Amino acid sequence: VQIGALQGLGNTISVTLVLDDAAGLVPDASVKVAGVQVGSVRDLAVDFDTAVATISLRKNAELRTDV
């Protein structure tokens, strides 16, 4: 997993993820941490042999930055 392109406007942060496998991800799906919704999947794309997912995260979700 690679994370990049952090952008923040309003109450959310847009994050672009590069994944080896995005099976099961669908646009508008919830992004959850410990069962709590912290955002949603905004877009999915394919770049050669990887998946690129763009997700929106709530700024006030207080997610760890060290992982």
Side-chain angles (χ1 to χ4, degrees):
V1 175
Q2 294 178 342
I3 301 174
L6 293 174
Q7 298 176 348
L9 294 173
N11 295 326
T12 62
I13 298 169
S14 180
V15 180
T16 301
L17 306 168
V18 179
L19 308 162
D20 291 331
D21 184 0
L25 285 181
V26 294
D28 297 322
S30 295
V31 174
K32 296 182 179 182
V33 175
V36 177
Q37 184 173 349
V38 296
S40 61
V41 176
R42 290 289 162 223
D43 186 49
L44 294 170
V46 176
D47 184 17
F48 295 101
D49 61 347
T50 59
V52 179
T54 303
I55 62 173
S56 292
L57 300 174
R58 289 191 342 254
K59 282 186 178 179
N60 64 352
E62 298 182 19
L63 300 173
R64 291 175 45 181
T65 59
D66 63 341
V67 291

